[in-house]
Amino acid sequence: MADSSSSSSIDKGGAFPHVLRIYFIPFPSPGHIIPMVDIAKLFAERGADATVVLTPLNVTRFSGTVTRAAAAGNRIYLYVLPFPSTAGLPDGCESTDALPSRSLSGPFARALDLLRDSFDSVIRDHRPDAIVSDVFLPWTSAAAAELGVPRYAFTGTGCFALSVERSLQVNRPQGWASSDSDPRLVPGLPDRVYLTRSRLAEATLPGSTAHEILDRLREADRSTAAWVVNTFPELEPGYLEHYERVTGKRVFAVGPVSLCNRAAADASERGRGAAAAGEAARILTWLDSKQAGSVIYVCFGSLSRFPAAQMKEIGMGLEESRVPFLWVFGETAATAEETAELDEWMEGMEGRVGERGMVVRGWAPQLAALGHEAVGGFMTHCGWGAVAEAAAAGVPALTWPLFADQFYNEALVVGVVGTGVAVGAAEGFVWGEEEKAGVVVGKARIAARVAWLMGRAASGGSGREEAEGIRRRAREMGEMARRAVAPGGSSYLAVGRMMEDIGPRNGQSAAAGSRDGDLGN
């Protein structure tokens, strides 16, 4: 670990007093760390001194992109915070995707709480001008308040889902229809949004064990200076302003942050580091052999698991669709016997589809894949990072939400902005109990929706026009995303305005931290 005055980008947290110094601390999960590192890069590009606080395992995943950003002349660093040992948590479990079982969620949460003392020391010793903390680390609020350092909260999701969640907190689901399939209006939103009980986040439902942590988050939010959101106005029309009104706090919409990864290495290694370069090259070479817009990319995120029977239905649906596909085959919620049977079936399926399909086990360079001209559709779980990345790439979505805020994000993509179509999942899975769900969507439905979205369906007329309309709106969304992050765009200006907001809170001139002098006035 080197001092910040050296050329190394891994740092003990030294200061550059003539610029704004911002510390970023993400929740240790891929869907949170990845965009937070991107946000730190955005602020560093504008002249801020940006330090990302990570544990050792996560440093190995992001040191490459931070080193490249520093080599380009940006003041960006990694502060290595030791991960605490706690009973019941194996070594190396420093991220949610490294947990071998959901049963370890409790020890993992306790370990995160133990990070507070170390983090307090970092902030006390280095006195940054602000911290940007994940909302799921509520103890950062107390540390910041005690030391008079403003805390900006990174939400991890979009303003639409946040608005839905807030409405549900006020209008408790106990009063909703007892039937899981009876749609009910979510009150108080700019649009008429209907959800069924089966589509509500697990934490919202009566009897959830998450109410205690939700209360801690709400308490921490009271001292939050403002929200930092990976979004842009066109992706969530009206919801940035709505969330500002209902919370009384500003929203700095700085996304889609994935577009800051302009270097090929940053896009292909994002979230995994240089160790993934070989696999990324293999996948991109396969995509190079496909026609423009012909491939559907299928990925359900780092935390999703399907029962073996549902995985087989996905494979059969992709095979029967006749559409070229890139399928990121994740973990299964299955017994050893079920897994062995599925693996044997998968080998046969891969042999039958040949070069038309590619099955990738574990991880794929999602940002690079979505940006490849061969990819014309994205079957996704609707995690917010995936939604924002699809929007940035101008790729239409085939939505298949599983849990948490994902059904809310589907309602935005399908019902509000019209850049996707639902695969037809009427209910999700309980994380950690996926094996109980069985088959939610059958192969025939999967094949039909894939072919329809990709323009391969036999039907014509209005159906063909509707699919083309979705693809066109997705392309338009991608153009709006690129304009948002370009100089003078809404997200570019939001970064400058947040720097302006930080400066006076610490009695400093924000203009000193602007590389180009444009802070968005």
Side-chain angles (χ1 to χ4, degrees), residues 155-181:
T155 64
T157 191
C159 288
F160 178 87
L162 290 168
S163 298
V164 171
E165 288 176 352
R166 189 172 183 85
S167 175
L168 293 173
Q169 290 169 9
V170 175
N171 305 278
R172 293 291 187 180
Q174 289 96 325
W176 285 47
S178 58
S179 169
D180 280 353
S181 59

Side-chain angles (χ1 to χ4, degrees), residues 397-520:
L398 183 56
T399 61
W400 189 336
L402 303 174
F403 50 75
D405 64 341
Q406 295 164 13
F407 278 101
Y408 310 157
N409 296 334
E410 178 187 58
L412 172 72
V413 170
V414 175
V416 177
V417 295
T419 56
V421 62
V423 74
E427 59 184 358
F429 298 155
V430 175
W431 186 50
E433 300 179 6
E434 295 89 346
E435 69 281 356
K436 298 179 181 179
V439 174
V440 174
V441 183
K443 62 178 182 179
R445 178 71 174 180
I446 295 169
R449 295 313 261 175
V450 168
W452 184 85
L453 181 65
M454 301 297 289
R456 297 291 189 91
S459 62
S462 60
R464 185 179 297 275
E465 292 174 3
E466 183 182 358
E468 175 52 37
I470 290 172
R471 295 194 295 270
R472 182 183 67 254
R473 285 190 292 274
R475 291 192 297 270
E476 293 169 350
M477 188 67 72
E479 293 169 1
M480 290 185 284
R482 289 186 288 275
R483 289 198 295 267
V485 301
S490 61
S491 298
Y492 180 91
L493 296 177
V495 173
R497 289 178 180 134
M498 183 168 155
M499 293 172 72
E500 283 185 324
D501 194 71
I502 292 171
R505 293 178 187 270
N506 286 278
Q508 296 195 19
S509 170
S514 173
R515 177 158 298 174
D516 56 13
D518 179 6
L519 288 176

